[in-house]
Amino acid sequence: LPSASPVFISLLSSQAENLLCRLPENFQALTEKLTLRNILFGTWEMGEHINDLEKHVADLMTEAGVENSNEEFRV
């Protein structure tokens, strides 16, 4: 910027420095947000897989004619 004033260049430099200083903080916040989202989504997805597994075990036991007194496999 050959025609820019020294005040403008100083202001621009200050803003750029401020942004660079905040970059690690913003990156950390984004990382934490994505990690939390993955944990929550992963937990929900795992719960769905466990429910499916319990249902399949109960179905197999029914097909095999096995009575289960433990209600945890009943769906």
Side-chain angles (χ1 to χ4, degrees):
L1 298 170
S3 63
S5 73
V7 173
F8 177 75
I9 291 174
S10 176
L11 180 62
L12 189 60
S13 176
S14 176
Q15 288 178 342
E17 185 178 345
N18 186 21
L19 286 173
L20 287 174
C21 287
R22 290 188 359 225
L23 188 61
E25 178 185 327
N26 291 339
F27 183 76
Q28 181 65 31
L30 180 60
T31 300
E32 289 172 5
K33 190 175 189 178
L34 290 172
T35 300
L36 179 61
R37 190 193 72 136
N38 288 338
I39 288 170
L40 293 175
F41 181 73
T43 301
W44 174 81
E45 190 174 277
M46 183 59 73
E48 291 296 309
H49 290 305
I50 290 171
N51 289 341
D52 290 344
L53 179 61
E54 288 176 345
K55 183 179 181 332
H56 290 303
V57 168
D59 291 346
L60 287 171
M61 291 176 72
T62 300
E63 285 180 30
V66 176
E67 283 296 320
N68 184 11
S69 60
N70 188 349
E71 290 298 317
E72 71 181 85
F73 289 112
R74 302 257 180 224
V75 179

